[in-house]
């Protein structure tokens, strides 16, 4: 294992993206498995990663584990941590999007309030990827209820409730709980009908990728 890690470290130092990923994934796998991983080991592995050079599936995975290790082992939610989540989210990683949006709202609230472009980007992430994550769908509901999205107070409340119901349905189906899923569908139909009446809509459509949720 150590000889493999040494070889990966050498390739990572030479700037090989796949080697950087493999090295970090080796440390990440040990951490997930519950093995003892020191902060220094993680810091050394992270220091060999050039996060901005990753694209595609490598970025989808790399940005995510890079930031998970920074946040949960090194206990830092700073610019590089958020950037890793943002990178992974940009390639469709819904859990990374959830962590990025929550992190930005918690640690950069003043910037969010002053920067309309950032608010638009956060809304785009939530709207685009919430169908892949019950957590992100639930966050979408919270953001509606708290006024992050525009609308009348009544409309925001109904949208918030609707997305909460969808989140519950996604969670139930991912867990294989058919009884809870059926109960959620009944509540969802009721809340959707209320929203249609309040907003004078013809119908309500929310795209949900259940297969992706189950795979996660």
């Amino acid at each position: 294992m150590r000889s493999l890690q040494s070889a990966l470290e050498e390739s990572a130092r030479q700037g090989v993206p796949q080697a950087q990923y493999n090295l970090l994934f080796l440390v990440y796998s040990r951490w997930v498995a519950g093995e003892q991983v020191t902060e220094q080991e993680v810091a050394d592995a992270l220091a060999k990663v050039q996060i901005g050079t990753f694209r595609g599936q490598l970025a989808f995975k790399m940005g995510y584990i890079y930031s998970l290790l920074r946040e949960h082992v090194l206990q830092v939610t700073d610019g590089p941590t958020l950037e890793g989540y943002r990178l992974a989210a940009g390639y469709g990683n819904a859990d990374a999007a959830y962590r990025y949006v929550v992190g930005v709202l918690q640690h950069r609230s003043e910037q969010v309030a002053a920067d309309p472009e950032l608010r638009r980007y956060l809304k785009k992430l939530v709207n685009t990827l919430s169908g892949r994550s019950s957590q992100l769908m639930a966050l979408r509901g919270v953001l509606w209820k708290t006024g992050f999205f525009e609308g009348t107070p009544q409309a925001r409340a109904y949208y918030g409730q609707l997305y909460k119901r969808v989140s519950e349905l996604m969670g139930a189906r991912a867990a294989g709980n058919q009884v809870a899923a059926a109960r959620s569908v009944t509540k969802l139909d009721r809340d959707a009908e209320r929203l249609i009446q309040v907003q004078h809509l013809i119908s309500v459509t929310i795209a949900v990728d259940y297969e992706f949720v189950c795979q996660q």
Side-chain angles (χ1 to χ4, degrees), residues 3 8 13-14 16 18 28-29 36-37 51 53 55 57 63 79 92 95 118 129 134 140 149 160 174 183 188 208 213:
S3 59
L8 289 173
R13 275 193 291 270
Q14 295 174 11
V16 180
Q18 186 66 55
Y28 171 75
S29 298
Q36 181 65 35
V37 178
I51 194 67
T53 64
R55 299 291 183 273
Q57 278 301 304
D95 191 55
L118 178 57
L129 296 178
S134 59
R140 188 176 181 180
F149 290 90
R183 190 161 52 242
L188 184 56
V208 176
V213 172

Side-chain angles (χ1 to χ4, degrees), residues 7-57:
L8 289 173
E9 287 175 352
E10 180 58 32
S11 296
R13 275 193 291 270
Q14 295 174 11
V16 180
Q18 186 66 55
Q20 292 179 23
Y21 171 74
N22 290 343
L23 174 62
L24 197 60
F25 188 76
L26 189 64
V27 176
Y28 171 75
S29 298
R30 290 172 52 212
W31 173 64
V32 169
E35 295 183 24
Q36 181 65 35
V37 178
T38 67
E39 290 187 10
Q40 190 59 54
E41 284 182 279
V42 171
D44 289 345
L46 291 172
K48 296 178 178 68
V49 172
Q50 301 168 18
I51 194 67
T53 64
F54 290 88
R55 299 291 183 273
Q57 278 301 304

